[in-house]
Amino acid sequence: MGIYKVRNKEHVFMYKTKAYSAGSATARLASTTIPRRDPTTRDVQIEILFCGICHSDLHSVRNEWSSVMPTVYPIVPGHEIVGRVTKVGSAVTKFKAGDIAAVGCLVDSDQTCPKCQAGLENFCPNLTLTFNSPDRHKTAPVTYGGYSDSIVVDERFVLRVPSNLDLAGAAPLLCAGITTYSPLRYHGVTKGKKVGVVGLGGLGHMAVKLAHAFGAYVVVFTTSPNKKEDALRLGADEVVVSRNANEMQKHTGSFDFILDAVSAEHDINAYINLLGLDGNLTLVGAPPKPLAVSSFALIFGRRSVSGSNIGGLPETQEMLDFCGQHNITADVEVIAMQQVNEAYERLLRSDVKYRFSIDMASLKSEQASEASARTPQPRVFQPAIG
Ligand SMILES: [Zn+2]
Ligand SMILES: [Zn+2]
């Protein structure tokens, strides 16, 4: 049931697929249909099985990053996508129908700039994000993400998922996983290194699992003592309650690397002081206001503070393969698509261990309900799980 559309003199073949979208910054996410392009020669069409809920989904839906990337409505968020290939274009070589595949935060880039040449598409000045980016294929004004029944993506931006991984837990690897894997690798975290993780949420819990698998000595910093047991279960060797000055002081000058995943305002100098010579603190959380950095804390010890943003395609595949070898997935609470608004409220309260993963079968059952609603009977949405 393709739709034929001419836009800017270019011919685009499209089909419609079920999705959840928000119409404004204050609207709830609700059921809708969106256009997707028919797969072109290099495209892979994926039936989405699971999509993780990332905090940036919520920021974008509520237009909280309007100064950096204003939201175009309607928005269909979601960039932690795992699914089954249903159709491939004639030039596709990496995938065939039936394969399990994944899509993360990127769906395209210029593929010509030095960053793309180096496999760092995540830093390409002309990248296309999975949602809320201008759509190069002109199927819609902006790209639509993974809260949807299917997606069509250039095969160069589609990743392979190791067959042993649980798919609901694998979905968050596509953002939370690579966001933490990349800086750990870049800063040489290996056996024998002492690594700190600040904040035990969606990102932090992945960092603990990955740093532990790299063989590092992992210390979790948390404000809530009741997270101690969970941190140890996830792979931490030690847990420090950051409000306890004595506990903090014991670690002064001893860390090789600290990953800071806190997105609220906090004093990063307290952590910089825990770094050893040439130690680095990398920020992956994004507090809304600038953080104050003490020059003295950096100067004494040649320490550095830096940032990191997801990862390129080659490294994202490397991360998935590493997770396959070590059987690492995110700890997830699987929800139905219909529970997404409630999940957002819980996300704001950090009331999730540690990531929501949407079971897209729930969206299919909604389609069935809609179809049956054409006959005069009440519309009942039946979540598959929950
Ligand atoms: Zn994300
Ligand atoms: Zn580029």
Side-chain angles (χ1 to χ4, degrees), residues 53-57 79-80 105 131 174-176 179 203 310 355:
I53 296 182
C54 174
H55 218 113
S56 43
D57 298 355
H79 60 200
E80 297 183 333
C105 305
F131 61 86
L174 278 302
C175 179
T179 297
L203 293 175
I310 51 173
R355 207 73 158 170

